């Protein structure tokens, strides 16, 4: 007698389900943001290059350049330095080590590195295909080879400083004053960098504005996937264990 073995549907392995989850929660939204960023850049440089929007962008830069003073030149010099590439690399490395040592795990460190790298990748993609000239004013900083759109300094500042603020907020969620302090410092640093780049003639207003949007988006997507969902799940499990232990036998 010939026996026919019953075929069972292949079960999803943990690795495959994890890959699908990563793609759905991280790769897909970041890919969409990259396409939107690139599309907006091409719109600004290929379609709207002679529009009133571009003219207004240049007018804002000229008006700011005419109001420069030695005091604000110095202030914005240090404000811009907060997000220079070597600075971001060094401070990110430092915070990765601190988070690992303080929290005893890699989750927070991986989130911070992922947020910084994600915005950088999208920024570099846009600068390659949508090369926008910098404002036609005196530049107070050396112009890097990348284009004006979007502001990489701004998106990196949001990713790092707001990313750090978010991590600290999640670990001090019961202390309102500390939470406010983290966001005043984090958002304040990101805002300072963007305004400094605008003041120093390195980017148009639209470049800086989209830099803020890009940084916020990367922080939000990666925080949802790597920080907030695991933290909330951990808290629910802890509350459930506490409730079970308190329940009468």
């Amino acid at each position: 007698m010939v026996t026919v073995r019953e075929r069972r549907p292949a079960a999803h392995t943990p690795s495959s389900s994890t890959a699908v989850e990563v793609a759905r929660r991280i790769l897909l939204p970041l890919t969409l943001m990259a396409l939107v960023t690139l599309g907006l850049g091409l719109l600004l440089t290929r379609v709207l290059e002679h529009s009133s929007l571009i003219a207004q962008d240049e007018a804002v830069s000229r008006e700011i350049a005419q109001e420069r003073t030695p005091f604000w030149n110095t202030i914005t010099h240090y404000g811009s330095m907060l997000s220079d590439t070597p600075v971001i690399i060094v401070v990110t490395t430092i915070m990765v080590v601190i988070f690992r040592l303080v929290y005893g795990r890699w989750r927070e460190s991986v989130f911070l590195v992922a947020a910084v790298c994600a915005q950088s990748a999208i920024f570099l993609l846009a600068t390659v295909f949508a090369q926008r000239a910098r404002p036609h004013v005196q530049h107070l900083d050396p112009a890097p080879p990348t284009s004006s759109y979007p502001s990489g300094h701004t998106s990196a500042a949001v990713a790092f400083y707001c990313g750090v603020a978010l991590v600290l907020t999640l670990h001090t969620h019961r202390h309102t004053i500390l939470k406010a302090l983290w966001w005043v410092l984090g958002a304040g640093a990101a805002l300072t960098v963007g305004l400094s780049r605008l003041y120093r003639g390195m980017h148009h207003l639209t470049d800086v504005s989209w830099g803020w949007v890009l940084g916020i988006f990367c922080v939000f997507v990666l925080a949802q996937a790597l920080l907030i969902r695991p933290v909330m799940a951990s808290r629910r499990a802890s509350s459930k264990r506490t409730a079970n232990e308190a329940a009468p036998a």
Side-chain angles (χ1 to χ4, degrees), residues 33-34 36-42 44-45 57 118-135 144-156 193-194 197-198 202-215 218:
M33 172 51 83
V36 171
T37 300
L38 179 57
L40 180 58
L42 294 175
L44 291 172
T45 56
D57 246 2
Q119 64 77 30
S120 179
I122 296 174
F123 153 73
L124 290 174
L125 177 68
T127 62
V128 170
F129 293 99
Q131 298 183 356
R132 187 183 190 187
R134 296 187 184 274
T146 53
S147 69
S148 182
Y149 170 87
S151 172
H153 272 71
T154 304
S155 59
V193 169
R197 299 298 286 173
L198 182 63
M202 304 310 296
H203 295 284
H204 303 89
L205 179 59
T206 50
D207 305 330
V208 170
S209 299
W210 196 255
W212 280 320
V213 172
L214 173 58
C218 290

Side-chain angles (χ1 to χ4, degrees), residues 221-240:
V221 168
L222 290 159
Q224 286 290 331
L226 302 177
L227 283 183
I228 297 177
R229 285 176 58 86
V231 167
M232 297 307 295
S234 177
R235 289 178 184 172
R236 285 195 297 268
S238 178
S239 299
K240 187 175 181 180

Side-chain angles (χ1 to χ4, degrees), residues 32-178:
L32 292 176
M33 172 51 83
L35 293 175
V36 171
T37 300
L38 179 57
L40 180 58
L42 294 175
L43 185 66
L44 291 172
T45 56
R46 308 288 176 82
V47 179
L48 301 176
E49 55 184 336
H50 301 298
S51 67
S52 59
L53 173 63
I54 302 302
Q56 185 62 33
D57 246 2
E58 289 289 345
V60 170
S61 295
R62 288 195 300 270
E63 184 176 350
I64 292 174
Q66 292 171 0
E67 301 296 328
R68 288 172 180 164
T69 65
F71 173 78
W72 286 110
N73 289 354
T74 301
I75 294 297
T76 57
H77 168 71
Y78 291 107
S80 180
M81 282 181 61
L82 288 174
S83 194
D84 283 351
T85 299
V87 173
I88 290 295
I89 292 174
V90 170
V91 294
T92 299
T93 302
I94 291 173
M95 292 310 301
V96 163
V97 174
I98 290 176
F99 286 161
R100 178 65 180 86
L101 294 176
V102 171
Y103 302 127
R105 61 192 182 200
W106 286 106
R107 182 189 303 158
E108 290 79 5
S109 300
V110 169
F111 156 73
L112 187 61
V113 171
V116 172
C117 289
Q119 64 77 30
S120 179
I122 296 174
F123 153 73
L124 290 174
L125 177 68
T127 62
V128 170
F129 293 99
Q131 298 183 356
R132 187 183 190 187
R134 296 187 184 274
H136 295 94
V137 297
Q138 180 186 5
H139 302 153
L140 299 186
D141 293 326
T146 53
S147 69
S148 182
Y149 170 87
S151 172
H153 272 71
T154 304
S155 59
V158 174
F160 174 75
Y161 294 105
C162 292
V164 170
L166 180 59
V167 170
L168 297 177
T169 298
L170 291 174
H171 287 277
T172 57
H173 62 281
R174 292 188 177 90
H175 304 278
T176 304
I177 295 178
L178 283 180

